[in-house]
Amino acid sequence: TVDRSFLFLDGPADTRGVYVPMTRGRHSNEAFVVVEGEETARDVLAQALARSWIDEPAVARRAKLQRPQPYGEAREPERPLEAAQVRQLLEREHEIGRMLARAESGIRMYREDLDRTIGRRTELAEGLSGGEERRDRAQEVLDGLDRPLVRRLHRSEILKTRGDLNQAQGTIRQSVAELAEIETRLPGIQASLAKAQATVLDRPSLEHERHGIRRELDRDLSARASGLADDPPRHVVDRLGPRPERGAASDIWDEAAARLDQHATAFEIRDSYPHLGRSPSWEDTAMATNGRAMSQACERLDRSLGRAPAIEPPGLELGI
């Protein structure tokens, strides 16, 4: 045990490789994670936490990690994925992200709804009990006063008591009806909360799946970038301009071209390439999300070349 613990994660690890160093600091535990491509530190940690090597022989694990390339053997160039495969991967990646986001917000929302509903049920139960007590007292008073020879002497008190009785009965009816509605709605809230909690508990496996999907998509981008750099099609040049010969701008061009081609392939877009991917910021679909990522890559290229970004097409706007 130490005062502050630091984990430097620059390679494959499993649950134990993360848990041990992240639980040894008295005052703080920090992780520094090396990432590749577009993966995030959270992606890497989630993948590690979902992995266990305790039952795997060390020699087998070492062989998997090293995977040496045979001497003199040429590596076969990777080919871009088919359109249906790319679209399926993009939609699943988006679905996982949306599931996790909705589950996290849903837990807070359903817990608050559950607390309010249970609190209201308690209030109604107390109100019902009080209404029944008032009803019984009023009925007892009426039974004693609303009789021949007595009724005339206590007319005003009888009228007031009947009013109290009617009010108590109204409270009872309202409380019973609302309690019945709550009892009908409560199981649905509890089921929704349990489902959201189960999704969050399943985060490591979902993050692991999403991490694998992102690696597949990044490999597809790499394969597309290689092909486009050698012979860029006309629509890519029209949108991005000629490919810079060297330097960082050429790498940024490759990424933008690959993303543009991947997006157009996945969603079968055949025209309007200059404005491809200009999706509203509020649209929550795989096509819109990937289109925004593609647009950002194109804008990075524009900035690196010192030119104005492409003009966005007119859209719905709010004005005063």
Side-chain angles (χ1 to χ4, degrees):
T1 304
V2 294
D3 290 337
R4 300 178 65 191
S5 174
F6 299 93
L7 166 62
F8 179 61
L9 190 60
D10 63 342
D14 70 343
T15 304
R16 294 156 188 80
V18 174
Y19 172 79
V20 173
M22 292 299 290
T23 56
R24 294 302 178 262
R26 293 187 185 90
H27 306 302
S28 67
N29 295 274
E30 300 178 57
F32 298 84
V33 185
V34 177
V35 298
E36 297 178 4
E38 295 196 356
E39 64 186 6
T40 64
R42 172 179 283 188
D43 293 335
V44 176
L45 287 172
Q47 185 182 27
L49 291 171
R51 183 189 296 125
S52 178
W53 295 332
I54 191 66
D55 297 323
E56 186 173 14
V59 290
R61 184 61 202 161
R62 184 185 305 167
K64 283 185 180 180
L65 293 178
Q66 292 178 348
R67 287 197 183 101
Q69 187 73 18
Y71 179 76
E73 181 178 332
R75 184 187 295 266
E76 182 180 353
E78 294 190 17
R79 297 180 180 179
L81 298 173
E82 298 293 332
Q85 292 176 289
V86 179
R87 182 165 186 164
Q88 184 178 13
L89 290 171
L90 287 171
E91 289 180 345
R92 178 57 180 166
E93 181 186 38
H94 179 264
E95 180 186 6
I96 292 173
R98 187 170 57 179
M99 284 171 55
L100 290 172
R102 287 182 174 179
E104 289 174 348
S105 62
I107 286 177
R108 294 190 296 270
M109 180 181 68
Y110 294 131
R111 278 178 176 166
E112 291 173 359
D113 194 11
L114 186 62
D115 290 342
R116 285 195 301 268
T117 303
I118 292 177
R120 181 56 179 164
R121 184 176 64 177
T122 302
E123 292 176 2
L124 289 169
E126 293 174 353
L128 178 60
S129 178
E132 290 173 342
E133 290 179 3
R134 292 194 301 272
R135 179 199 62 190
D136 295 342
R137 285 198 302 269
Q139 189 62 56
E140 184 178 354
V141 171
L142 286 176
D143 291 343
L145 297 178
D146 196 10
R147 294 181 301 169
L149 304 180
V150 180
R151 186 181 301 122
R152 293 180 62 183
L153 298 175
H154 299 277
R155 183 174 298 173
S156 60
E157 187 176 353
I158 290 172
L159 290 175
K160 179 180 179 302
T161 304
R162 284 177 178 173
D164 293 343
L165 178 62
N166 291 334
Q167 185 178 12
Q169 289 174 335
T171 299
I172 291 170
R173 285 193 298 270
Q174 181 179 355
S175 298
V176 168
E178 193 171 348
L179 279 170
E181 187 271 335
I182 285 177
E183 294 301 330
T184 301
R185 187 164 53 90
L186 196 57
I189 301 174
Q190 293 169 329
S192 297
L193 176 59
K195 183 178 179 181
Q197 290 172 330
T199 300
V200 171
L201 287 175
D202 198 34
R203 171 185 284 277
S205 63
L206 290 171
E207 292 284 13
H208 178 70
E209 181 184 357
R210 184 163 63 171
H211 185 74
I213 290 173
R214 179 40 52 189
R215 284 188 177 276
E216 288 293 320
L217 290 170
D218 286 344
R219 279 194 287 268
D220 178 69
L221 286 172
S222 178
R224 292 179 188 278
S226 298
L228 293 168
D230 297 335
D231 186 19
R234 183 65 187 172
H235 69 266
V236 173
V237 176
D238 288 343
R239 173 62 181 87
L240 303 179
R243 182 179 186 272
E245 294 184 0
R246 61 179 65 86
S250 63
D251 295 333
I252 300 174
W253 190 97
D254 290 344
E255 180 190 358
R259 285 191 173 278
L260 188 147
D261 187 60
Q262 186 186 69
H263 186 76
T265 300
F267 299 103
E268 300 180 350
I269 300 173
R270 299 287 180 257
D271 53 9
S272 300
Y273 284 101
H275 303 307
L276 186 64
R278 299 286 180 176
S279 302
S281 59
W282 62 83
E283 190 173 334
D284 186 21
T285 64
M287 181 177 180
T289 301
N290 193 65
R292 288 190 288 269
M294 188 221 67
S295 294
Q296 291 169 3
C298 294
E299 290 165 4
R300 283 194 296 272
L301 176 63
D302 290 335
R303 289 195 298 270
S304 71
L305 296 177
R307 64 192 184 193
I311 300 175
E312 296 189 17
L316 295 175
E317 296 181 355
L318 295 176
I320 299 177

